[in-house]
């Protein structure tokens, strides 16, 4: 019998994690990544709750701990840098806004890639251009004309998934905009973060932030702002930088220094804040995992967990199948959806409004910071912990053979 082939588009978090599990289950796995290497960018992601459990089951938790970022907490600052409120890492027993085990997204991608690359065939600078479902499986045509026959094709290619567009339809059919945009990039640490994640909110729906990295001279910076949908070219970085300048020039705190850094940053990333809501994540022998199928948006803080748990469940359910005939594939994909759907719904329902993240009015900014102080105190503490920080554990991982 021929070894079944799974073709995965996208080598972010979900793709390599899925490749790791599927190759262990004896599949031939090919992962295509449109970039010329795994993309190292991004800020810290946390491994609390079930996402961390998956990493533990992969046997990679010690590798993650080696990369853990030393952090002291989050603080909300005014324009002059003085602090309105602080939430140390120790708040909520290490499960607060900044949790006790956080690593840079790039480090997570690197660990997943290293752990899978000997068993998985990675092809960089490659992407799927067309898909055709046949009696024998799926015939994929890559952008360079190469054809690959696979038993299953998985879109793990992020919120603007090409697989989703080809197999399910235009992004606009499934996207739920959250009313804003965000950008991430590296910048000089102009404030001496000393392990603190600093957030500055300015009236008009603006949020600027700086987080620590492994290099004390470099901060992981972020801008987010409320906005109606903008008409811009997703591939024109100069235009995206201009959009940020229009919003943040002269907005106070470190905004001007961060704007200057954004002009040169080679890891600059800009995107709309949106969720993906799909009635089904699978059609025939094509399915989606992670942001491609059920992006909850960075505001939810659950993107990494959803990708890791989704990959684990999809691989586990496929592993239960006798072989990969049409009936087996259909029931494995249906079970994947049954297990994941309630967790996805909870993550997408988390409080993720732009009004809270980047309030329009000074009074709301002040109230928001006061709330951050109060929630750490009795009697609000347990209520806040339940409301905010319990979602990460809201799925019980099935045990797969
Ligand atoms: C550079 C970068 C930085 C990020 N930084 C943060 C952050 O700081 N905080 C945060 O909360 N979330 C961040 N995210 C999003 C976060 O990684 C995801 O929300 C989450 O981890 C889900 O992972 P994913 O694998 O589904 O998607 P992603 O991590 O987005 O990975 C998708 C991968 O698919 C690749 N890809 C895209 N289109 C194609 C295509 N047509 N063909 C082949 N490959 C394709 C992308 O290059 C990427 O490597 C970032 C994503 C990226 C790509």
């Amino acid at each position: 019998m021929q070894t079944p082939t799974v073709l995965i588009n996208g080598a972010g978090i979900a793709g390599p994690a899925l490749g790791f599990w599927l190759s262990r289950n004896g599949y031939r796995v090919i992962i295509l990544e449109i970039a010329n290497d795994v993309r190292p960018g991004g800020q810290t992601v946390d491994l609390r709750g079930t996402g961390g459990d998956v990493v533990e089951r992969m046997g990679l938790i010690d590798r993650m701990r080696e990369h853990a970022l030393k952090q002291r907490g989050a603080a909300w600052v005014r324009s002059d840098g003085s602090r309105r409120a602080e939430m140390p890492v120790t708040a909520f027993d290490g499960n607060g806004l900044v949790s006790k085990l956080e690593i840079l997204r790039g480090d997570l991608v690197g660990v997943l890639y290293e752990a899978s690359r000997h068993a998985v065939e990675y092809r960089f600078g490659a992407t799927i251009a067309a898909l055709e479902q046949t009696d024998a499986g799926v015939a994929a045509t890559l952008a360079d004309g190469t054809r690959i026959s696979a038993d299953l094709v998985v879109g793990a290619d992020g919120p603007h998934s090409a697989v989703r567009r080809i197999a399910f339809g235009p992004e606009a059919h499934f996207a739920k905009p959250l009313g804003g945009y965000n950008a991430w990039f590296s910048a000089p640490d102009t404030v001496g973060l000393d392990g603190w994640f600093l957030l500055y909110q300015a009236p008009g729906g603006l949020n600027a932030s700086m987080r620590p990295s492994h290099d004390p001279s470099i901060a992981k910076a972020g801008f987010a702002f409320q906005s109606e949908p903008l008409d811009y070219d997703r591939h024109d970085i100069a235009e995206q930088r201009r959009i940020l300048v229009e919003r943040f020039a002269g907005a106070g705190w470190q905004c001007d220094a961060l704007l200057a850094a954004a002009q040169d940053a080679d890891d600059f990333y800009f995107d709309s804040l949106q969720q993906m809501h799909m009635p089904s994540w699978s059609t025939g022998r094509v399915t989606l995992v992670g942001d491609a199928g059920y992006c909850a948006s960075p505001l939810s803080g659950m993107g990494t967990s959803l990708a890791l748990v989704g990959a684990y469940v999809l691989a586990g359910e496929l592993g239960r199948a006798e072989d990969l005939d049409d009936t087996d594939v259909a029931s494995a994909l249906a079970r994947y959806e049954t297990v994941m759907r309630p967790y996805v719904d909870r993550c997408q329902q988390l409080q993720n409004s732009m009004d809270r993240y980047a309030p329009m009015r000074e009074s709301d900014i002040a109230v928001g910071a006061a709330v951050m102080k109060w929630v750490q105190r009795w009697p609000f503490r347990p209520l806040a912990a339940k409301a905010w920080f319990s979602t990460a554990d809201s799925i019980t991982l099935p045990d797969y053979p």
Side-chain angles (χ1 to χ4, degrees):
M1 212 173 73
Q2 254 200 329
T3 309
T5 300
V6 179
L7 177 63
I8 301 172
N9 209 42
I13 311 283
L18 181 63
F20 173 96
W21 290 112
L22 289 178
S23 58
R24 284 190 152 194
N25 288 355
Y27 296 92
R28 175 183 179 220
V29 182
I30 304 169
I31 299 188
L32 310 176
E33 165 60 48
I34 200 164
N36 290 327
D37 204 338
V38 282
R39 295 177 64 185
Q43 303 193 327
T44 45
V45 293
D46 72 54
L47 293 172
R48 77 181 82 189
T50 323
D53 295 344
V54 171
V55 171
E56 193 126 27
R57 289 185 187 205
M58 295 172 98
L60 298 176
I61 199 76
D62 289 337
R63 297 294 322 279
M64 299 297 172
R65 288 205 176 101
E66 284 165 22
H67 289 280
L69 209 59
K70 287 193 178 59
Q71 296 188 94
R72 299 180 63 189
W76 288 259
V77 298
R78 299 184 186 84
S79 184
D80 64 4
S82 60
R83 295 190 177 191
R84 294 176 190 266
E86 287 181 358
M87 188 182 286
V89 168
T90 47
F92 301 99
D93 303 322
N95 282 316
L97 187 71
V98 175
S99 70
K100 60 189 169 210
L101 179 55
E102 300 205 349
I103 73 168
L104 292 174
R105 178 192 172 276
D107 288 339
L108 174 60
V109 173
V111 170
L112 293 173
Y113 173 60
E114 277 304 316
S116 59
R117 74 189 180 97
H118 299 294
V120 167
E121 187 183 328
Y122 280 90
R123 297 192 194 175
F124 291 101
T127 184
I128 293 174
L131 291 170
E132 189 192 342
Q133 306 222 25
T134 65
D135 291 343
V138 194
T141 307
L142 310 197
D144 66 0
T146 311
R147 286 174 71 83
I148 298 176
S149 297
D151 295 273
L152 183 72
V153 169
V154 184
D157 41 0
H160 306 293
S161 167
V163 170
R164 188 186 58 227
R165 176 171 37 77
I166 294 166
F168 297 83
E171 182 172 317
H173 289 184
F174 312 110
K176 178 181 167 199
L178 298 179
Y181 292 80
N182 72 334
W184 295 300
F185 51 93
S186 297
D189 178 358
T190 44
V191 291
L193 287 170
D194 190 23
W196 284 92
F197 166 26
L198 301 184
L199 293 113
Y200 168 65
Q201 296 161 319
L206 304 179
N207 181 314
S209 61
M210 294 171 80
R211 290 183 157 211
S213 72
H214 293 301
D215 178 345
S217 68
I218 300 294
K220 294 285 180 182
F223 281 128
F225 59 92
Q226 290 205 36
S227 171
E228 295 296 313
L230 296 173
D231 187 17
Y232 73 100
D233 178 352
R234 269 205 318 113
H235 304 287
D236 184 347
I237 290 182
E239 184 184 9
Q240 295 159 22
R241 288 175 168 142
R242 272 197 304 277
I243 293 172
L244 289 179
V245 171
E246 280 162 22
R247 307 275 164 161
F248 286 91
W253 190 53
Q254 296 294 313
C255 289
D256 289 339
L258 294 179
L259 283 175
Q263 302 306 314
D264 302 326
D266 54 13
D267 59 351
F268 182 84
Y269 177 96
F270 181 96
D271 206 353
S272 56
L273 288 161
Q274 59 179 17
Q275 295 186 332
M276 270 321 132
H277 291 260
M278 302 188 67
S280 170
W281 304 319
S282 305
T283 170
R285 286 173 178 268
V286 179
T287 191
L288 304 171
V289 65
D291 278 1
Y294 33 84
C295 179
S297 106
L299 295 186
S300 74
M302 295 305 297
T304 309
S305 290
L306 281 170
L308 291 168
V309 176
Y312 172 83
V313 172
L314 176 55
E317 294 301 342
L318 286 167
R320 281 185 171 166
E322 294 249 317
D323 55 39
L324 286 190
D325 65 21
D326 282 354
T327 321
D328 279 355
V329 169
S331 39
L333 296 182
R335 287 194 306 269
Y336 159 55
E337 187 138 348
T338 305
V339 175
M340 282 300 290
R341 187 62 79 167
Y343 183 50
V344 168
D345 288 348
R346 275 205 66 173
C347 293
Q348 291 190 326
Q349 280 158 18
L350 269 174
Q351 293 292 342
N352 53 19
S353 97
M354 276 306 279
D355 277 335
R356 182 172 301 203
Y357 192 64
M360 293 302 286
R361 294 180 311 203
E362 171 58 33
S363 54
D364 291 335
I365 294 170
V367 168
V371 167
M372 289 303 155
K373 278 201 264 194
W374 281 102
V375 292
Q376 298 174 59
R377 298 179 191 160
W378 185 261
F380 304 107
R381 213 180 101 92
L383 298 172
K386 190 158 183 281
W388 290 354
F389 308 125
S390 62
T391 304
D393 290 316
S394 64
I395 181 171
T396 306
L397 286 183
D399 290 321
Y400 296 112

